[in-house]
Amino acid sequence: MKRSWLALPALAVAAVLMFASASSAVVGTDLDEGMELSVFTITGNSTQGGHIDAWVNEMPDGDDYSQIGGIPLISGAAEGCEYDSADPFACYQTFIGYCSEADVDLVLDPMPFSQVDVDGRVQYLTWKHDYEWWNQNWQAGLASAPMAATQALVWAWHSDPETGSTVFSSVAGGLDDPLNWDGLTPSAHTDTSPRVGFHSDVDLDDPYWTGTDAELLQAATQAVYDLAVEATAKAGPWTLEQGVGATGVVLTGSNGPIQGETVNFKDGTANGVDVTTDANGFAAWPAGGTVAVIEGPGETWRTPGPDGGGQDVILTIGEELTVNANDPAPTTTTTTTTTTTAAPTTTTTIVVESPNPEMPESDPADPIVDSPSFTG
């Protein structure tokens, strides 16, 4: 996303230098209504190893590329925390946000955040590809393609329908739907409009990616489809509940059971026991397990920028879901319905001819029965 990077105070620059090593930052776990976060950058760059300098489809419209990926955000210093020049990042909470409206400049002044409701797929993706995930993946070159694809999907599923942008909605041939991008070969940047997928004619600004820039563009394009499928299956919000019979717990999202997520069962050992949910979202209680714990997508927060100006940014924090071994299992009620069918009644009519032919016979009529849808 093309971003209008403004001058930063000296402390912010120092903190960004720490952000590159990211060894001591406090991972954000909570926000308060109206809490202000600031964008972090240095020399005009976005999240290190977590974005690519490119276009997706016809976004942005023009000759300037967009820094597509995560947006580094930081809170004000924690109350009572003493600044340490050797570790200037220690007093802050750090987050990764995503542009929630396209083609609007990002400003760097402190921005107030408020809780909002978003599409469950967007909630899942912006939670999964957060600061902690980035910190575990960027140096191996594994963060830029998924984070760029996450940004593209936020535009597809949030920005386009909510703000009227046309990043995906203007793409023809069914490719306005990310679920139709499997195997899509991105357009060359030199192709005439309309171009589809990730494309660029500049350095993609990811020194940690081990392949070529063309391969990174292809990887980001494919990741749009892969993450669209994953986010649809694992859309938030999540619930973790005791299963029937209390033999295990069940993880469910807004679109049904969630497979392939790790539930940690506390059993008195240092690390507990990890169990992966099956196709039914089920993970069995291990011997000695007392508490089941998993983190899922929690609250989503949004800023309209300082004083309502600039690019909207959203982020999602994690929520810890727990079940105790002694929690009651859901009860099942079996309802038996007994239908009694009465024996048919046979009526015999005896017709006796009247000796008086002028006497009219009684003939009652039968009833009639009628048939009755960055510049972000």
Side-chain angles (χ1 to χ4, degrees), residues 82-148:
E82 295 185 5
Y83 174 73
D84 181 357
S85 60
D87 191 2
F89 215 47
C91 292
Y92 298 85
Q93 292 188 87
T94 309
F95 303 85
I96 292 291
Y98 293 88
C99 167
S100 61
E101 62 178 340
D103 231 4
V104 178
D105 285 341
L106 177 69
V107 295
L108 305 184
D109 294 333
M111 303 178 291
F113 278 75
S114 298
Q115 188 179 344
V116 294
D117 293 325
V118 295
D119 185 301
R121 299 168 297 179
V122 172
Q123 179 191 13
Y124 169 77
L125 288 173
T126 54
W127 160 73
K128 177 179 179 179
H129 298 129
D130 63 359
Y131 171 80
E132 185 176 10
W133 182 92
W134 167 83
N135 194 29
Q136 295 170 350
N137 289 278
W138 68 281
Q139 289 180 313
L142 302 177
S144 51
M147 292 179 80

Side-chain angles (χ1 to χ4, degrees), residues 194-221:
R195 293 167 291 194
V196 180
F198 282 87
H199 53 94
S200 184
D201 60 350
V202 299
D203 183 346
L204 301 188
D205 196 21
D206 185 0
Y208 306 97
W209 172 258
T210 57
T212 66
D213 278 2
E215 289 169 338
L216 180 52
L217 293 170
Q218 179 66 69
T221 300

Side-chain angles (χ1 to χ4, degrees), residues 149-233:
T150 292
Q151 178 59 81
L153 288 167
V154 172
W155 285 331
W157 290 336
H158 182 85
S159 179
D160 282 5
E162 296 292 332
T163 72
S165 62
T166 58
V167 181
F168 276 76
S169 62
S170 65
V171 180
L175 296 177
D176 58 329
D177 184 351
L179 289 169
N180 290 331
W181 276 35
D182 190 22
L184 175 68
T185 298
S187 300
H189 187 70
T190 53
D191 287 352
T192 57
S193 298
R195 293 167 291 194
V196 180
F198 282 87
H199 53 94
S200 184
D201 60 350
V202 299
D203 183 346
L204 301 188
D205 196 21
D206 185 0
Y208 306 97
W209 172 258
T210 57
T212 66
D213 278 2
E215 289 169 338
L216 180 52
L217 293 170
Q218 179 66 69
T221 300
Q222 182 63 38
V224 169
Y225 169 78
D226 295 339
L227 291 177
V229 172
E230 179 180 331
T232 300

Side-chain angles (χ1 to χ4, degrees), residues 3 9 56 70 112 132 135 152 160 164 177 186 188 210-211 232 236 239 241 249 261 287 289 311 336 372 376:
R3 294 174 181 158
V56 60
E132 185 176 10
N135 194 29
D160 282 5
D177 184 351
T210 57
T232 300
T239 59
E241 298 177 317
V249 294
E261 294 293 330
Q311 180 188 124
T336 303

